[in-house]
Structures are given as C-alpha cells and as structure tokens.
Amino acid sequence: MKKLIFTISAVLFFSTLFAQDFIYKNDGSEIKSKVIEITPDYIKYKKWENQSGPLYNIKIADVFMVVYENGEKEVFKTEETQQPIQQSVQQPVQQPVQQPVQQPVQQPVQQPVQQQPQQQLSQPESSKEFKRNFQIGLTLGFNIASFNYNYEDKDEEPVGGIMFGLTEGITVNYHFNKKFAIQTGLYLMGKGNDANLEKTYEKDLQETYPGQESKIEGSYKTTLSYLQIPLTFNFVIPLQGKNNSVLIGPGVYFAYAVAGKDNADYTISVKERDEWNIVLEDHNNSDVEFVNTIPYGADDSLAYYKPTDMGFVFNIGIKSNKFMLSSITSIGLFSTRPPIDLLKYLPNPNKVTNICGTIALTYFFN
C-alpha cells in the first residue's frame, strides 16, 4: 500500500514539474511561466509560481525560444544564433553566455580591417595627372569707354563722358599647369568718348560772354573701332566642381584702329532780354582720319587719331565647364592724338588716352 502511494505522489510531482512553460532569453537565462499570448512584438505570460498574479510582457527580440508544457518548442532566432543558445538551454549551468558573446564581437572587427587596404590602394588609381591644353572660344560682350585727358598747357581739361560699344571676337586659353594660364585673342572693340560739354566749356563760356547768361546744349561723340590683341598671364584658383575656376591676372594689349566717326551736334546760346539766342552751332559728322602725324595745313574740320594704341590690361574671369564670364579693364599708355608734322619731334603737352571696361561671355568649343 505504501508503495502505491509513493508511486502516485511521484507521478503527480513530475507531471506538475513538466506542466509549466519555459521562456529562454538570449542571455541564457530562463523564466518558468504560463504563456498567455504571443503577439508580433511581445510574449505575455504569468509567473508559474503566481499564476493568479499580474500579467508580464517580454520583447520577442530578447527571447530565443519557448518550450511549452507539452514539450513543443518555438524558436524566435535565426539558425546563426540557435546553436549557442540551445547549448545554453541544455546546459544552463555550465556555459550560459560565452559563445553568443564571442561571435558578434569577432565578426564586426574583422570586416573593417579587410576593407582599409583596398581603399588605400584605390586612391592612387583615381588620381589624374594634369595635361596642358588649349581652349578656343567665341566671345561677345559690351564696353564702357571714355577718354582720359591730360592737358599740360591749359588750366581746364576737357571732361570725358561714357561711351557704350560692343566687343566680339575669339578667345584662346593655354593652361600650362594647374595654377597658371595664358589668355589671348582677337577682338573687334568699340571705344571712344561722349564729351561732357557743359563741364568742359563752362569756364570758356564765362570768359567769352562775361556778364551774360550762356549755355551749351547737345553732344560731341567720338566713336573708334579697334582690332585688339590682349595677352594676360592668369593665376588659376580652383572652385568647387570639376571644371570651375577663377582666373585673375595682368597683361598688355595692342590695338589697331580700323574705323572712326566724329559726330558734333551742339549749340551755344546766350540770354539777352529774357530770350535765348543761338550764337554758335555745330552739326558736323565726319570720318576720323588715322595718321601718325598731322600734315601742315590739314583740314581743321577733321578729327585726327593715331592708328595704333597700346596699354595695360587686367582680367578677372569666372570659368565653369565651357563658359567663362570676364571683366576686363584696358588702360592706354600712349596718346591717341597725333602731333603736327612740324612739331612731331617736340613733346606733345596734350595727352588723350583710351580707358575701357569690358564685360564679356565666352563659349569654348573644347
């Protein structure tokens, strides 16, 4: 009889032992529980020792496997991590954590070490050597021109005014290294002057008509067309982008006059008895004569200019791929007015030079 009672008690004990659910976590620990519900993100359970107590939640991401009371297993991790956790389940006392910790630490460290030599070896392959190159392009722009007067034998100098003109031609760039380039070209440029008559002849009118109110109205324009060849030595400053840069540099220019017009259209009036009377007028339009010296007895009604002009030039350009926007300043060094033939060996006290600012856009073919 005692033997029968012992057998029944043992069966009840072991059935109670295996009637509980086991939740095995990723760190090798286990939870004796009664699983209530499994959602996509959480496992809801009650502790086996207190099944009438509160409901607990554990993230599925922290769980490796659940072993139910009937012996069924549900695994929540990949095959890559099954083996170390299963070993920790079978032998929870001996090695609960060691192998899962070793593998994640070794793999992330090995991969970056292997990639570093490849990146270092690929850098020399991507570097490219600079190649000298020519670029040829078409240029179109506009000029703001004037005359600079320097009269040593007169108290009052003429006052120059702004004259607008066009620039068109061909630009050539030669890049002989990364930092320096030579720029030249051939351009047809419009220069000249629109004289400020009021300021120029204000004192002369007061001396000619003392005590009388006088005025001058109209314009006196000189238009000159030159074939100009500049030569600038530019410093190249790279910008962000593959073919973007700034070019800055000084240089010289040589120009040869091909055409010119002298347009006078003004009147001088004097006020008498509250009325303005015209005392002088000039409406003469003539071609400019280009000579190195003015012949003795030449026609005074014509305007004479030298056929050549030379001076300094300063260039600032912004280049992007095949386009370049430039600002060019040209300052003449020599007088554009020729001396009279009989006085050609004497210094000319009256000096008139060209000043011109150009804004131009260039398109390069290559």
Side-chain angles (χ1 to χ4, degrees):
M1 184 66 180
K2 292 181 179 180
K3 185 175 181 181
L4 179 59
I5 294 172
F6 176 77
T7 302
I8 294 172
S9 301
V11 170
L12 291 174
F13 173 78
F14 284 104
S15 63
T16 303
L17 179 63
F18 291 99
Q20 56 190 348
D21 300 329
F22 288 91
I23 300 174
Y24 293 96
K25 298 174 65 176
N26 291 333
D27 59 3
S29 61
E30 65 179 18
I31 302 174
K32 297 177 182 180
S33 63
K34 180 64 178 179
V35 176
I36 305 301
E37 181 184 359
I38 297 179
T39 67
D41 298 320
Y42 293 93
I43 297 176
K44 300 180 179 181
Y45 67 94
K46 290 189 176 183
K47 291 185 177 181
W48 177 254
E49 298 84 357
N50 186 15
Q51 295 188 27
S52 60
L55 185 67
Y56 294 89
N57 293 332
I58 185 172
K59 291 183 179 180
I60 289 182
D62 298 333
V63 176
F64 164 66
M65 181 175 62
V66 173
V67 179
Y68 297 100
E69 59 183 355
N70 59 1
E72 183 182 350
K73 299 179 180 179
E74 187 170 356
V75 180
F76 298 95
K77 286 294 181 180
T78 60
E79 295 181 357
E80 190 176 324
T81 56
Q82 274 184 4
Q83 184 174 358
I85 301 297
Q86 286 177 354
Q87 292 178 0
S88 66
V89 173
Q90 295 173 0
Q91 301 176 359
V93 178
Q94 296 179 358
Q95 294 180 351
V97 185
Q98 292 179 356
Q99 293 183 1
V101 173
Q102 292 176 356
Q103 291 184 359
V105 172
Q106 292 177 356
Q107 291 179 357
V109 174
Q110 292 177 358
Q111 292 179 357
V113 174
Q114 295 175 357
Q115 292 178 357
Q116 287 179 356
Q118 296 177 359
Q119 294 177 356
Q120 293 177 355
L121 293 174
S122 62
Q123 289 178 358
E125 296 177 358
S126 62
S127 61
K128 295 182 180 180
E129 294 183 358
F130 175 82
K131 293 183 179 179
R132 298 180 180 181
N133 62 89
F134 275 101
Q135 286 186 303
I136 301 176
L138 289 178
T139 299
L140 182 64
F142 67 92
N143 303 327
I144 302 175
S146 183
F147 286 161
N148 180 37
Y149 294 92
N150 184 8
Y151 283 9
E152 297 180 0
D153 61 346
K154 291 186 179 182
D155 296 334
E156 295 291 333
E157 295 178 351
V159 179
I162 293 175
M163 187 77 169
F164 293 95
L166 293 177
T167 290
E168 50 190 347
I170 298 174
T171 298
V172 178
N173 272 345
Y174 175 54
H175 294 260
F176 56 89
N177 61 35
K178 292 182 178 180
K179 293 184 178 181
F180 294 98
I182 297 176
Q183 181 174 315
T184 185
L186 178 63
Y187 310 100
L188 179 62
M189 300 184 66
K191 299 182 182 182
N193 183 61
D194 185 1
N196 190 327
L197 297 179
E198 291 183 4
K199 292 184 178 180
T200 300
Y201 295 103
E202 180 180 3
K203 187 175 180 180
D204 290 340
L205 290 176
Q206 292 175 358
E207 293 177 353
T208 305
Y209 306 100
Q212 292 180 291
E213 191 175 355
S214 58
K215 65 179 180 179
I216 183 170
E217 296 176 314
S219 63
Y220 191 97
K221 297 180 181 180
T222 302
T223 303
L224 303 174
S225 296
Y226 288 93
L227 283 176
Q228 181 163 307
I229 301 175
L231 181 63
T232 58
F233 302 89
N234 296 320
F235 180 72
V236 181
I237 303 174
L239 299 177
Q240 291 184 352
K242 185 177 180 181
N243 296 316
N244 300 330
S245 60
V246 174
L247 288 77
I248 301 176
V252 295
Y253 76 86
F254 173 82
Y256 186 82
V258 293
K261 285 281 186 181
D262 206 49
N263 301 321
D265 186 15
Y266 65 89
T267 59
I268 298 176
S269 302
V270 176
K271 192 172 185 181
E272 296 177 351
R273 298 179 182 179
D274 297 331
E275 291 184 3
W276 288 100
N277 298 317
I278 298 176
V279 295
L280 178 65
E281 59 183 332
D282 189 356
H283 305 284
N284 182 36
N285 298 328
S286 61
D287 293 332
V288 171
E289 294 289 333
F290 293 103
V291 294
N292 290 316
T293 58
I294 301 174
Y296 180 75
D299 188 354
D300 293 339
S301 62
L302 297 178
Y304 298 93
Y305 288 86
K306 288 182 179 179
T308 58
D309 184 30
M310 296 180 63
F312 288 122
V313 64
F314 188 80
N315 174 66
I316 300 177
I318 300 176
K319 190 172 179 296
S320 178
N321 294 322
K322 292 187 176 183
F323 290 92
M324 181 175 67
L325 182 64
S326 302
S327 172
I328 306 167
T329 303
S330 304
I331 302 176
L333 291 179
F334 304 101
S335 179
T336 58
R337 298 289 177 85
I340 300 175
D341 190 27
L342 296 177
L343 305 176
K344 62 182 179 181
Y345 298 108
L346 299 177
N348 189 353
N350 300 331
K351 187 177 181 181
V352 182
T353 57
N354 279 316
I355 299 178
C356 182
T358 304
I359 301 295
L361 180 64
T362 301
Y363 173 77
F364 292 102
F365 299 111
N366 55 338

